[in-house]
Amino acid sequence: MNLTLKVIVGMALGVVVGLAINFSGLHYQGSFVQEFITGGLFYVVGKMFINALNMMVVPLVLFSLICGVCGIGDVKLLGKIGSKSFAFYVLTTAVAIASAIVIAGGLGIGEGMNATSEANFTAREAPPLTDVLINIIPTNPISAMARGEMLSIIFFAILFGISLLMVGIKATKVIELIEVLNETMMKMVTIIMALAPYAVFCLLAKAMAELGIDLFTQLIGYVVVLAGILLVHLFITLMFFLKVFSGLSPRIFLKKIRSVQVFAFSTSSSNATVPVTLRTVTERMGVNNSVASFTVPFGATINMDGTAIMQGVATVFIANMYGVDLGVGGYLTVIMMSVLASIGTAGVPGVGLIMLSMVFTQVGLPLEGIGLILGVDRLLDMLRTAVNVSGDAVVSLVVAKSEDKLDIEVFNNESLDDSDRGSIKVDREVGRDFAKAMATAYRGK
Ligand code: ASP
């Protein structure tokens, strides 16, 4: 079995086992299953895996982006790639939320329902746009890296890369070193991904055991409409974009993006999925690292089509429920706020709700309305994160194709799998030769 298939099997088994635990009634507060299986084994293995992925994000983005900038070697082209991807990201997000509002509004979801919110939702502060802009430039790059602030890291890496190019030939050794470090990071991702099938199983079994599907029946209208629009965006809107702007085959894309989607689905985080997205987009889809090293982390931060769709549907749902008529102006504000909010917030689990509270405050919808959808949000977060990362990959391909930075043969090669580009074994001969060479070098000193 290849790795993609193993991960998908892990996911499916996780869902089945999780639901079985939920239905069996063995999963209650303080039970053996809850303490040792879902809250114990599954929780620990799943969380360790997410930690491992997150561990890779900062060094991978830093090294691959510096390599990318040096690989392009042309500041103007860099600017073009930056502005194009920004425009596409904003465009796809705006289309996503606009279509969500139109469809959900047309279906009239939430109309005639009683607004009784049980869960209390306390809104967390989302950063104001001015701060987002100012903080793109870190006062201290090390602390930006320590905190995983993606836009600051991107800014620092680009400036560092450009400066290396300006230093010129003297910097060759440094660039070579960073290239080796980048390759090493990719190998680390390979090692971590080999464990993915088991981790994905644990993550999904835990989520399903805890959530079950009872909750959904109460909010079935909201869930079905939202999931439906997410799928429409993924399979129709994004694929239309891909075909029209790059001419690439949506079928091959959908086949190759599957494993990235599974990672996004099980971690609920575009950020944690960056290593996998980057690897897939470069190695299996043929996007040159000089484009992908920028578009992928940039997209994980600013591009959230799935999240925008959730905001559109949730706004219509709650406005209808509370009998508030937002009018065209109100909905236009919602679209604008969602697009802006997605730029300033990182792709981490549950961040969509924070963005939603920003939107609600702006248009004057009651914040406790968010409490209504809180229960089902965890699972919908998984689904929308899978759409978010697919959007990142589509834009990466479109930008790469337009700048002639796409290896079309790699894209069209359908047999390329996740595991094809590297075994996780250390070749004994190579290891021994390497050790010998190191020993000789040190003795020489
Ligand atoms: N979890 C999503 C992401 O990481 C963001 C959200 O919708 O909450 O992309």
Side-chain angles (χ1 to χ4, degrees):
M1 245 197 258
N2 64 38
L3 188 62
T4 311
L5 195 58
K6 274 193 204 163
V7 175
I8 292 171
V9 170
M11 178 175 98
L13 283 179
V15 172
V16 172
V17 170
L19 286 179
I21 293 177
N22 185 280
F23 289 147
S24 71
L26 292 173
H27 190 269
Y28 53 87
Q29 198 59 36
S31 68
F32 175 83
V33 173
Q34 191 268 336
E35 290 222 336
F36 297 99
I37 310 285
T38 52
L41 182 71
F42 293 171
Y43 171 67
V44 172
V45 174
K47 196 81 183 122
M48 282 169 108
F49 180 69
I50 294 184
N51 281 0
L53 282 175
N54 276 322
M55 168 179 87
M56 299 310 305
V57 175
V58 173
L60 192 63
V61 170
L62 183 72
F63 296 139
S64 70
L65 192 48
I66 297 175
C67 288
V69 173
C70 294
I72 291 185
D74 176 359
V75 179
K76 250 206 202 136
L77 184 54
L78 204 67
K80 241 169 110 191
I81 292 172
S83 41
K84 256 191 205 171
S85 45
F86 182 75
F88 273 120
Y89 281 143
V90 170
L91 182 68
T92 50
T93 309
V95 169
I97 181 164
S99 60
I101 290 176
V102 171
I103 301 176
L107 293 172
I109 57 161
E111 272 169 13
M113 275 179 83
N114 271 338
T116 43
S117 164
E118 289 146 29
N120 260 333
F121 181 76
T122 31
R124 270 193 286 159
E125 279 287 301
L129 191 66
T130 42
D131 283 4
V132 173
L133 287 176
I134 293 169
N135 291 335
I136 290 178
I137 303 180
T139 47
N140 178 344
I142 307 291
S143 99
M145 284 177 220
R147 283 202 283 248
E149 287 160 0
M150 198 74 90
L151 295 181
S152 313
I153 299 170
I154 292 177
F155 179 82
F156 180 76
I158 292 179
L159 206 60
F160 191 84
I162 294 175
S163 308
L164 278 176
L165 287 172
M166 286 163 71
V167 170
I169 207 80
K170 270 189 292 178
T172 321
K173 284 238 154 59
V174 178
I175 297 175
E176 274 170 13
L177 171 70
I178 296 175
E179 266 165 13
V180 176
L181 287 172
N182 185 33
E183 208 182 316
T184 312
M185 290 302 141
M186 279 293 185
K187 289 281 179 233
M188 285 175 78
V189 176
T190 308
I191 299 174
I192 293 167
M193 277 176 69
L195 304 172
Y198 314 101
V200 165
F201 167 83
C202 292
L203 285 167
L204 280 164
K206 176 175 184 288
M208 292 299 158
E210 283 173 356
L211 297 170
I213 45 174
D214 301 353
L215 269 174
F216 291 98
T217 46
Q218 295 155 22
L219 283 173
I220 192 84
Y222 171 71
V223 173
V224 169
V225 171
L226 178 47
I229 301 176
L230 286 173
L231 295 179
V232 167
H233 187 74
L234 172 62
F235 289 108
I236 300 178
T237 317
L238 282 178
M239 292 309 99
F240 179 76
F241 251 82
L242 181 72
K243 190 76 198 164
V244 169
F245 288 101
S246 72
L248 296 168
S249 154
R251 186 185 59 79
I252 299 181
F253 173 82
L254 287 170
K255 185 174 170 199
K256 293 192 173 186
I257 198 70
R258 227 178 290 157
S259 57
V260 181
Q261 288 168 337
V262 173
F263 276 86
F265 187 79
S266 30
T267 60
S268 289
S269 167
S270 316
N271 266 26
T273 313
V274 163
V276 188
T277 320
L278 194 56
R279 194 172 183 274
T280 305
V281 164
T282 52
E283 298 190 352
R284 294 181 67 204
M285 296 188 181
V287 175
N288 193 295
N289 179 56
S290 54
V291 172
S293 62
F294 173 74
T295 53
V296 170
F298 191 48
T301 315
I302 76 157
N303 182 52
M304 294 182 189
D305 298 356
T307 307
I309 289 172
M310 177 277 266
Q311 318 221 348
V313 178
T315 309
V316 173
F317 182 64
I318 289 164
N320 280 345
M321 219 172 197
Y322 281 89
V324 181
D325 184 11
L326 289 178
V328 178
Y331 280 114
L332 283 178
T333 313
V334 172
I335 296 179
M336 209 178 70
M337 280 306 294
S338 296
V339 173
L340 290 180
S342 71
I343 297 176
T345 40
V348 292
V351 81
L353 288 179
I354 304 177
M355 291 159 64
L356 193 60
S357 61
M358 264 170 94
V359 173
F360 274 29
T361 314
Q362 195 70 27
V363 293
L365 276 178
L367 279 181
E368 64 266 21
I370 298 178
L372 289 165
I373 51 168
L374 212 54
V376 289
D377 194 70
R378 170 80 178 77
L379 216 103
L380 291 169
D381 190 6
M382 298 163 92
L383 206 58
R384 65 179 183 254
T385 310
V387 175
N388 289 348
V389 295
S390 308
D392 301 344
V394 166
V395 171
S396 301
L397 281 164
V398 169
V399 173
K401 181 78 195 329
S402 72
E403 292 302 331
D404 209 13
K405 296 271 179 205
L406 181 81
D407 187 336
I408 197 90
E409 269 172 35
V410 174
F411 181 86
N412 286 333
N413 182 351
E414 291 189 46
S415 55
L416 269 186
D417 176 64
D418 278 325
S419 39
D420 288 341
R421 291 298 174 102
S423 117
I424 59 161
K425 291 189 189 69
V426 176
D427 186 325
R428 276 194 153 189
E429 292 276 301
V430 175
R432 246 190 319 237
D433 289 352
F434 190 66
K436 235 186 258 168
M438 291 305 286
T440 322
Y442 277 108
R443 226 175 291 135
K445 283 193 184 140

